[in-house]
C-alpha cells in the first residue's frame, strides 16, 4: 500500500478564495502572496480602483514604481497580462509539475484560480511581462 503524499505548493492555499472587488482583486492577491509567502512588502497604492478600466490605468501608472521587469520568471514573481480591450491583469507565476502556471483572482470565475500559462495565453490574455517587486 504505497500512499502517495501530494507535495503542497505555496499557491494551494489561495486557490478558491473569493474574488472581492478592491480587497481581493488581482493586484491585491499578488501583494498578499508577496507579503505572506515571500516576506516582501510591495509599495502599491492603497486606494483600489473600482472598475476594471480604472484598475488597468492604476496598474500601468504604478507598475514601474513598485516593480521592475525581468527577462525570466521565477516561482512567486508577479506577471502582467493584457486582455481583451487592452485591459491589464496581474497574476503570480507558479512552477508546478514541470510547467508555468498563473495564480490569479479572476473576476469572471469569482474566485482565485490557477491556470496553466499556456492555456491562459492561448485564449484570453497576452503576456505583457514578468516582474520582480522593488
Amino acid at each position: 500500500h504505497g500512499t502517495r503524499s501530494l507535495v503542497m505548493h505555496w499557491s494551494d492555499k489561495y486557490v478558491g478564495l473569493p474574488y472581492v472587488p478592491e480587497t481581493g482583486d488581482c493586484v491585491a492577491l499578488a501583494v498578499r502572496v508577496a507579503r505572506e509567502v515571500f516576506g516582501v512588502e510591495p509599495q502599491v497604492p492603497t486606494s483600489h480602483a473600482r472598475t476594471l478600466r480604472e484598475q488597468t490605468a492604476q496598474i500601468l501608472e504604478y507598475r514601474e514604481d513598485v516593480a521592475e521587469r525581468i527577462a525570466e520568471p521565477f516561482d512567486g514573481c508577479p506577471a502582467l497580462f493584457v486582455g481583451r480591450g487592452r485591459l491589464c491583469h496581474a497574476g503570480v507565476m507558479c512552477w508546478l509539475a514541470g510547467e508555468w502556471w498563473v495564480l490569479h483572482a479572476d473576476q469572471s470565475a469569482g474566485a482565485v484560480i490557477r491556470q496553466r500559462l499556456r492555456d491562459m495565453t492561448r485564449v484570453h490574455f497576452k503576456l505583457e511581462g514578468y516582474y520582480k517587486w522593488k
Side-chain angles (χ1 to χ4, degrees):
H1 303 5
T3 56
R4 268 181 45 195
S5 64
L6 291 172
V7 176
M8 295 286 286
H9 187 264
W10 59 261
S11 61
D12 291 346
K13 73 177 190 173
Y14 297 99
V15 175
L17 291 177
Y19 176 95
V20 182
E22 301 181 45
T23 58
D25 61 18
C26 63
V27 172
L29 174 69
V31 169
R32 181 176 173 182
V33 167
R35 189 179 295 133
E36 293 179 0
V37 181
F38 301 100
V40 176
E41 197 62 52
Q43 299 303 307
V44 297
T46 50
S47 66
H48 283 277
R50 297 199 193 338
T51 67
L52 288 177
R53 234 168 251 304
E54 287 173 14
Q55 190 181 65
T56 292
Q58 197 175 49
I59 289 170
L60 294 175
E61 181 182 347
Y62 292 108
R63 160 182 67 186
E64 265 118 44
D65 295 340
V66 300
E68 63 186 73
R69 184 189 281 273
I70 56 176
E72 296 295 322
F74 59 86
D75 194 44
C77 80
L80 280 185
F81 297 87
V82 180
R84 295 180 300 254
R86 307 291 299 157
L87 292 175
C88 251
H89 186 59
V92 181
M93 300 304 296
C94 303
W95 182 251
L96 268 168
E99 70 176 310
W100 286 109
W101 293 66
V102 182
L103 180 75
H104 62 111
D106 188 296
Q107 189 180 33
S108 57
V112 174
I113 61 175
R114 194 171 50 205
Q115 280 180 289
R116 283 182 173 87
L117 176 62
R118 59 188 160 94
D119 293 341
M120 222 176 133
T121 54
R122 185 171 49 222
V123 187
H124 300 296
F125 294 100
K126 180 174 160 281
L127 177 67
E128 190 276 337
Y130 303 113
Y131 289 82
K132 178 176 181 269
W133 295 112
K134 286 187 177 173

